[in-house]
Amino acid sequence: MCDSHNVPKEATPCASGERCCGACKGKSVPTQTTTHEETVAAHSTDPRPDSVVPPTHLEANCTGTPNLDTVTTFGAGGRRVMPQPTLASGPFYRARSLVGILLIALYLALPWIPVGHAPAIFLDLATRRFHLFGLTFLTQDLWLAFFVVSGLGFGLFALTALWGRIWCGWACPLTVFLDIVRRIERWIEGDGPERKRRAAEPATPQTLLRNLFKHSVLALFATLVAHGLLAYFVSVPELLRMMAKGPSAAPRAFALVAVTTGVLWFCFAWFREQFCIVLCPYGRLQSVLTDEHTLVIGYDSQRGEPRGKASKAASPIGDCVDCQKCVHACPTGIDIRHGLQLECIGCAACIDACNGVMEKLHRPKNLIRYDSLTGLKGQPRRLWRPRLTLYVLLLLLGATAASIAVSTLRSANVSFTRMTGSPYFVEQGNLRNQFLLRILNKRPDPSVFTLSVEGDVPPGFALQGVSHEEVQGWGEIQHTLISTVPLSAWEHERRLTLVVTSSKGEIVARKPLTILGPNLSALNSLEQNAIETK
Ligand code: SF4
Ligand code: SF4
């Protein structure tokens, strides 16, 4: 085995990328035919210091020393390089495991926990009713989502400005699920070094069987997650009913679960952290949301450099012994000692790995730690910055707007519109205006809705059609309402208000009711003309 890495020397032609033992330390670009010994010999004679070696993509992958100009999980020609992280057990790993278990329990429980008349989260697409923690939204209420989403977005901005990728490393569902995936992988294929060794060996029937078993377990896990997701859209009782009856009873739901399972399996088995790098918009926004005072996971280069083994050094060196345990523990395959990088998801595995090394060497911990870039340079960290003020103000604005908007939600949706066609009719000495009334009960219980009219009501006014109506839970009624005013009492346009009250006394709507009629002076002159013509 290699001195520094857990990869057999003989099985590591450097130009192939990820299998390199790392002993060459990025000092040249070897060719496909270069043997490990030749590469190390070539590097040992390279006079350039590490800092001036041109960082090329091939070098980074060849030598296992990723740098700022490369994406470690992309190999030569854009080939996928799959990191095989080594488990770094420590306080952060234990804390993240606990948080992960709690979050998964929460994700699974939310469609089960009843809040009010529905599960805590139930996005009922079939009836277009969305239940969120006791509130029910209909498609007509979707404009509220703008305030909720923007409020959450600005909250995340403020969180990122303060604590960097805390969401990515600790709470993002993908991170939480990938932690489970890596546990499955460790259980079946062993820890990082063992997986690397197996990957370097020629495929055998045993390897293929192990691979098949691993992917079957990952597919099973993806199926469970897909069913858990479906419960958010069809409710748990309905999901159980569908599962009991089989795919033929709900072919569309079955197809949806099958596609979701496929996508999740692809993500678990292959795509993994590439999602954060390539697809996640939040990941791409990081660089503009953070600054040098944001809490990040960083390497204390002042303390760590120059790195190397104390026993082999002629002059005093830093605390980093260049064991590369932080690199091997990293699920995205980066070397945090190169500084803040796009791929870092803030999982803290490198902190645990390095603290373990420091503990063994009886040196102070936290060579890699949570700190700001200014803190890592030994300067004070400023907590409150202008960008944070802006994000918090926007968050408060969004939260206030969302609260006001949600407070306008009523137990029923009422629509009251004038019928198409003529705005009014004059018939048998009466002026008639026609309207269409729709009441949608947004509660599971039936309710009687009463109509009344407020305002400067003209003499003889009457509203025909319905005065009160029982609407079933989640039900909807539609009626034509006709307002009549004796033409003799008609003077001018009247702006009244239709008030709809539920059986619980809640005013669910106040709608404008405008009575239109003929212009009397025009009418009189018309009548006068008619008389004169006769
Ligand atoms: S550099 Fe450290 S914190 Fe960042 S992804 Fe790698 S192990 Fe996690
Ligand atoms: S784990 Fe610590 S000591 Fe080892 S290479 Fe990383 S930073 Fe240096």
Side-chain angles (χ1 to χ4, degrees):
M1 297 290 282
C2 166
D3 292 339
S4 305
H5 306 88
N6 295 306
V7 181
K9 281 178 180 176
E10 293 73 19
T12 55
C14 287
S16 71
E18 69 274 26
R19 290 181 190 170
C20 177
C21 76
C24 44
K25 296 190 180 167
K27 290 183 179 171
S28 76
V29 183
T31 63
Q32 195 80 38
T33 52
T34 311
T35 64
H36 175 83
E37 284 72 19
E38 283 166 347
T39 307
V40 173
H43 293 162
S44 63
T45 56
D46 191 325
R48 297 173 297 174
D50 281 1
S51 56
V52 298
V53 174
T56 68
H57 203 135
L58 186 57
E59 260 186 344
N61 286 318
C62 159
T63 61
T65 49
N67 58 52
L68 283 174
D69 294 329
T70 61
V71 175
T72 48
T73 50
F74 289 107
R79 189 170 45 85
R80 175 77 162 108
V81 176
M82 187 71 83
Q84 302 288 5
T86 304
L87 174 65
S89 199
F92 284 108
Y93 172 73
R94 286 191 287 277
R96 283 181 68 249
S97 301
L98 183 67
V99 171
I101 290 168
L102 292 176
L103 284 175
I104 286 183
L106 185 70
Y107 299 151
L108 294 177
L110 281 174
W112 288 81
I113 304 169
V115 179
H117 51 263
I121 298 183
F122 178 23
L123 310 173
D124 190 353
L125 291 180
T127 59
R128 296 183 189 82
R129 290 195 286 261
F130 309 105
H131 307 276
L132 294 176
F133 302 101
L135 292 173
T136 298
F137 300 89
L138 304 180
T139 36
Q140 294 93 326
D141 305 320
L142 275 184
W143 59 276
L144 290 170
F146 169 77
F147 298 105
V148 176
V149 171
S150 55
L152 285 176
F154 289 127
L156 207 54
F157 282 12
L159 196 78
T160 311
L162 266 178
W163 295 309
R165 297 191 80 159
I166 200 93
W167 164 263
C168 302
W170 290 75
C172 168
L174 181 66
T175 306
V176 171
F177 289 135
L178 283 183
D179 275 353
I180 306 261
V181 166
R182 293 202 177 90
R183 277 168 198 267
I184 293 172
E185 212 165 49
R186 276 199 299 274
W187 168 56
I188 297 172
E189 295 183 326
D191 205 359
E194 206 176 337
R195 291 201 304 277
K196 282 178 194 162
R197 182 180 57 75
R198 287 213 170 104
E201 288 170 352
T204 62
Q206 274 169 319
T207 324
L208 293 177
L209 268 179
R210 199 180 288 110
N211 246 332
L212 186 67
F213 179 56
K214 178 180 91 172
H215 286 295
S216 306
V217 176
L218 291 183
L220 181 66
F221 180 50
T223 311
L224 289 176
V225 176
H227 278 83
L229 275 176
L230 187 64
Y232 281 87
F233 296 94
V234 299
S235 82
V236 173
E238 180 64 9
L239 174 68
L240 296 177
R241 192 189 62 78
M242 284 176 180
M243 287 168 70
K245 290 198 169 175
S248 58
R252 276 194 296 181
F254 177 77
L256 189 71
V257 167
V259 171
T260 312
T261 301
V263 171
L264 285 172
W265 174 81
F266 172 71
C267 202
F268 294 163
W270 194 84
F271 203 38
R272 299 195 182 180
E273 68 293 328
Q274 299 282 52
F275 183 92
C276 317
I277 300 166
V278 180
L279 283 187
C280 178
Y282 176 58
R284 309 298 301 181
L285 275 177
Q286 293 293 317
S287 52
V288 291
L289 297 178
T290 58
D291 58 21
E292 56 182 2
H293 297 284
T294 300
L295 198 68
V296 293
I297 291 179
Y299 165 71
D300 187 343
S301 57
Q302 292 189 344
R303 198 187 125 192
E305 301 296 320
R307 65 186 78 155
K309 289 196 169 61
S311 56
K312 293 182 184 167
S315 53
I317 58 168
D319 272 348
C320 174
V321 292
D322 205 15
C323 62
Q324 301 236 1
K325 285 208 187 305
C326 51
V327 183
H328 292 300
C330 179
T332 62
I334 59 171
D335 187 341
I336 192 67
R337 294 172 300 169
H338 289 301
L340 200 56
Q341 287 154 78
L342 164 77
E343 300 103 305
C344 176
I345 53 164
C347 70
C350 51
I351 303 184
D352 276 336
C354 189
N355 279 347
V357 176
M358 293 297 119
E359 206 167 56
K360 279 188 195 143
L361 297 173
H362 304 291
R363 292 181 188 178
K365 289 183 182 177
N366 297 328
L367 179 58
I368 299 174
R369 60 176 180 270
Y370 273 109
D371 206 338
S372 63
L373 293 179
T374 48
L376 289 166
K377 286 183 208 153
Q379 296 160 3
R381 178 188 176 214
R382 201 146 52 88
L383 193 67
W384 203 257
R385 291 103 68 198
R387 70 167 62 221
L388 205 56
T389 313
L390 178 70
Y391 296 154
V392 170
L393 278 178
L394 289 171
L395 166 65
L396 290 177
L397 199 68
T400 311
S403 312
I404 293 172
V406 168
S407 71
T408 64
L409 283 180
R410 297 284 176 261
S411 62
N413 264 17
V414 177
S415 123
F416 185 64
T417 50
R418 184 174 293 278
M419 297 275 273
T420 52
S422 177
Y424 62 86
F425 299 91
V426 178
E427 206 173 75
Q428 295 171 356
N430 275 330
L431 176 64
R432 224 175 64 206
N433 281 231
Q434 297 188 160
F435 303 92
L436 188 67
L437 172 76
R438 285 176 65 209
I439 301 178
L440 177 61
N441 185 358
K442 289 163 67 180
R443 294 288 178 268
D445 315 309
S447 179
V448 176
F449 293 93
T450 309
L451 309 183
S452 57
V453 177
E454 288 178 354
D456 184 16
V457 179
F461 171 86
L463 195 62
Q464 299 166 2
V466 65
S467 59
H468 61 276
E469 176 81 14
E470 177 166 345
V471 185
Q472 293 306 311
W474 305 123
E476 183 177 5
I477 56 113
Q478 186 168 305
H479 277 295
T480 302
L481 290 188
I482 301 172
S483 76
T484 56
V485 179
L487 201 55
S488 54
W490 174 246
E491 290 168 352
H492 53 80
E493 179 185 309
R494 300 283 178 127
R495 294 178 185 275
L496 310 177
T497 305
L498 178 79
V499 181
V500 184
T501 312
S502 76
S503 49
K504 288 188 177 162
E506 178 197 7
I507 294 177
V508 292
R510 302 177 78 89
K511 298 285 180 183
L513 190 167
T514 306
I515 311 281
L516 299 176
N519 182 330
L520 276 184
S521 56
L523 201 65
N524 289 339
S525 65
L526 274 176
E527 280 176 359
Q528 191 62 40
N529 284 344
I531 293 166
E532 283 169 8
T533 313
K534 279 178 190 169

